[in-house]
Amino acid sequence: MTNYLSPNDPRFQADSDAVSIQNAIDAAEKGPIRTVRIPRVCERMGREEWIIDKSILLLSNITVILDDCHLTLKKDVYENIFRNKNMYTDVSTKREGKQTGIRIIGVGDAVLDGGEGNDLTEATSLKDGRPNIRFNNFILLHNVSNYVIENISCVNLRWWAINQICCTDGRLENIHFFNGKLTRNQDGIDLRIGCSNIYINNITGRCGDDVVALSAFKASKECEKFLVEGMTPDIHDVTIRNVCAHTHYSLVALRNTDGAKIYRVYIENIRDSGGEYGPINIVRIGENLYYRERTSILGETYDIRVRGVYSSTLCTVMLGGADLIVSAIGWIGHTAFIDPHTKAFKADTLEEFLEIKAGFVDNHRLTIQQNTGAGSLWGTPRYSVSIGPWDVIHAREHLERHDLQSVGGYASWERMISRLQLYGPVCIEVPASIYQLTKGTIYVSEEMARPIEPMDFYAL
């Protein structure tokens, strides 16, 4: 007699791989065997892959063993791979709705795969009949305690891979990520409001955004809808160890707003594994974003211990975000070194452009010329370290100056680029035009403001 149930058992086989797995899990809840083993081969279809067309709902005190198997989300479906059963039910935010003892254990090469994806993004979430973007999580847990997720790989991420809301006493260990095609917000592990007593260890691979993110947003719609009775939105007592991964943004990020707290977080042995993206920072603590009324204040983020952080990137540990950006427009229409028509800031749409963050960037030839002053073009650097459009948009305040620098007041192109920034369309071709989307002050000198007239010709 085996000590597990299998979706290959004829009693559980259905017209769908996901339903076959669900049938085995439901049977485990009713009988003495509380373990479901998903093997490598789906015998119903005779293939080494399980196609998931419907979210598999996890029950309390059930262990799901992914035995060298590959679970792939069906193309275009809006579904999680695994979700706890009580989420989206009438008891989900009540004490009696808490689930316990859920375990997802990988053996061998256990893979959760986003496949070919779908059209559900943050921009299309809840539009034209689509569900919330959370349906793109591979694993979604809410109001769950005493749970384990270990020894799995998550590939071809559709959004955040593992999302936990109001979860406690959890362990996530030996998890590998590969985001696949880069899309927005491909986080690895997310701890959201109300999470506490979580142990995260040995995380590897590549994500499109934060590898591990702790986000306590008290005034969010998430908090209004999912905060469990008797819980606070605070995140606390979290250990994050041995993260060796690569990403566009942060390996570990802590953010809290509107009075929610993050405290007693221990972070150790975090390193960038290297790759094509180049993270902005390795560990981020705080950011001036995502708030409804105010950012966090002194005393709301405390007892954060960080040790053993290894980095060759721009910033190892970043505290907070930009309060004020002081800048001036350049000849090419840049702000900072956000130059148009360069590899670093290449984007197909304005929306994509606004998502580009700080990094090591190549400079436009006209910027290089401007930076020479009266010096040598040969000796002027071709590259810079610069903030990105995303950083400009999300700073609290902006201060910009426009004044003439060249040809004794005859530089009509400087007047022109000033006017394009202030009054022209917001576009990638004039990066500084994105200041029209922010609040702040731009000082324009009298010389810069005077009318553009035909330039006198001087024989040299």
Side-chain angles (χ1 to χ4, degrees):
M1 179 178 177
T2 60
N3 58 355
Y4 59 83
L5 301 180
S6 170
N8 280 333
D9 189 318
R11 295 175 297 168
F12 308 134
Q13 287 184 355
D15 292 336
S16 157
D17 295 351
V19 175
S20 298
I21 296 170
Q22 189 68 62
N23 289 342
I25 291 174
D26 293 344
E29 183 187 36
K30 300 172 184 176
I33 300 175
R34 310 288 291 185
T35 299
V36 173
R37 172 183 169 270
I38 304 174
R40 184 179 186 87
V41 176
C42 173
E43 293 182 359
R44 183 180 72 88
M45 299 301 296
R47 62 175 177 238
E48 295 184 350
E49 184 180 34
W50 299 77
I51 303 299
I52 307 303
D53 61 354
K54 185 177 181 181
S55 300
I56 299 165
L57 303 183
L58 301 172
L59 308 174
S60 292
N61 301 310
I62 298 293
T63 297
V64 176
I65 297 177
L66 307 178
D67 191 357
D68 204 32
C69 63
H70 195 124
L71 277 61
T72 303
L73 281 165
K74 185 177 180 180
K75 182 181 178 181
D76 293 330
V77 300
Y78 308 132
E79 298 287 348
N80 310 120
I81 296 180
F82 293 108
R83 185 175 74 239
N84 66 296
K85 183 178 181 180
N86 285 353
M87 188 167 190
Y88 299 122
T89 68
D90 293 339
V91 298
S92 64
T93 59
K94 301 182 184 299
R95 290 182 176 89
E96 59 268 28
K98 182 179 289 296
Q99 291 186 244
T100 63
I102 291 174
R103 287 169 172 76
I104 302 173
I105 310 294
V107 176
D109 187 17
V111 179
L112 305 183
D113 190 341
E116 298 182 58
N118 56 31
D119 63 357
L120 181 58
T121 66
E122 290 184 352
T124 63
S125 178
L126 298 175
K127 294 180 180 178
D128 300 323
R130 299 180 185 88
N132 188 279
I133 186 66
R134 291 185 198 89
F135 279 81
N136 271 351
N137 297 139
F138 287 1
I139 300 175
L140 176 57
L141 301 180
H142 173 236
N143 197 12
V144 175
S145 68
N146 188 26
Y147 63 98
V148 175
I149 303 171
E150 66 178 2
N151 303 329
I152 64 171
S153 294
C154 298
V155 303
N156 299 319
L157 308 187
R158 294 187 173 188
W159 195 50
W160 308 343
I162 303 173
N163 186 8
Q164 300 140 94
I165 308 169
C166 292
C167 291
T168 61
D169 302 293
R171 177 167 62 85
L172 298 89
E173 220 167 350
N174 304 323
I175 299 174
H176 180 82
F177 297 105
F178 180 74
N179 64 305
K181 181 182 178 181
L182 181 64
T183 59
R184 186 175 180 181
N185 267 344
Q186 292 172 313
D187 289 6
I189 296 170
D190 280 80
L191 302 184
R192 307 291 290 184
I193 54 166
C195 286
S196 65
N197 296 292
I198 309 293
Y199 180 77
I200 299 171
N201 179 46
N202 196 24
I203 309 301
T204 59
R206 189 186 80 180
C207 293
D209 210 290
D210 299 328
V211 179
V212 179
L214 282 59
S215 307
F217 303 146
K218 184 177 182 179
S220 64
K221 292 181 180 179
E222 176 186 71
C223 194
E224 294 172 0
K225 186 172 183 179
F226 295 113
L227 187 62
V228 174
E229 290 178 351
M231 298 185 74
T232 71
D234 302 343
I235 297 175
H236 59 91
D237 295 286
V238 177
T239 297
I240 304 167
R241 301 181 67 247
N242 302 319
V243 178
C244 183
H246 189 63
T247 179
H248 251 309
Y249 199 46
S250 303
L251 270 70
V252 178
L254 282 60
R255 304 179 180 94
N256 51 308
T257 63
D258 294 298
K261 299 177 181 179
I262 294 182
Y263 58 94
R264 291 200 296 270
V265 178
Y266 180 70
I267 301 168
E268 180 183 29
N269 194 20
I270 314 297
R271 69 176 66 221
D272 175 29
S273 60
E276 61 182 298
Y277 290 165
I280 298 173
N281 48 69
I282 305 303
V283 176
R284 169 182 280 277
I285 303 172
E287 191 165 4
N288 296 331
L289 293 177
Y290 312 111
Y291 62 91
R292 182 173 295 179
E293 297 179 0
R294 66 170 177 83
T295 58
S296 60
I297 60 176
L298 189 65
E300 292 176 346
T301 308
Y302 61 91
D303 201 3
I304 312 298
R305 305 186 183 190
V306 181
R307 60 179 294 180
V309 179
Y310 305 90
S311 169
S312 59
T313 189
L314 300 176
C315 178
T316 301
V317 178
M318 179 176 286
L319 301 178
D323 288 314
L324 172 66
I325 290 180
V326 180
S327 59
I329 192 169
W331 295 350
I332 196 63
H334 71 209
T335 183
F337 286 110
I338 307 172
D339 284 354
H341 310 298
T342 57
K343 181 180 178 181
F345 297 106
K346 183 179 180 181
D348 293 328
T349 65
L350 179 63
E351 289 72 21
E352 291 180 10
F353 179 70
L354 294 177
E355 289 298 316
I356 301 174
K357 299 169 183 174
F360 184 79
V361 305
D362 52 319
N363 297 140
H364 191 279
R365 284 175 293 175
L366 193 55
T367 292
I368 299 169
Q369 176 65 50
Q370 183 179 4
N371 288 343
T372 64
S376 166
L377 181 64
W378 178 84
T380 303
R382 268 64 173 164
Y383 299 91
S384 305
V385 174
S386 177
I387 60 173
W390 188 93
D391 305 284
V392 173
I393 290 295
H394 291 99
R396 289 183 180 181
E397 295 288 345
H398 306 79
L399 180 61
E400 176 100 341
R401 66 178 179 85
H402 292 189
D403 51 13
L404 294 173
Q405 301 180 41
S406 307
V407 200
Y410 283 95
S412 60
W413 71 84
E414 292 186 312
R415 295 194 184 93
M416 177 193 70
I417 203 64
S418 172
R419 285 155 172 77
L420 286 175
Q421 176 187 0
L422 295 172
Y423 307 114
V426 179
C427 59
I428 299 172
E429 290 74 19
V430 183
S433 64
I434 66 175
Y435 279 93
Q436 295 182 37
L437 305 176
T438 70
K439 67 174 183 176
T441 302
I442 298 179
Y443 290 98
V444 181
S445 72
E446 292 183 3
E447 281 297 307
M448 186 72 85
R450 71 183 177 89
I452 298 175
E453 299 174 348
M455 195 174 187
D456 292 336
F457 176 76
Y458 288 88
L460 300 179

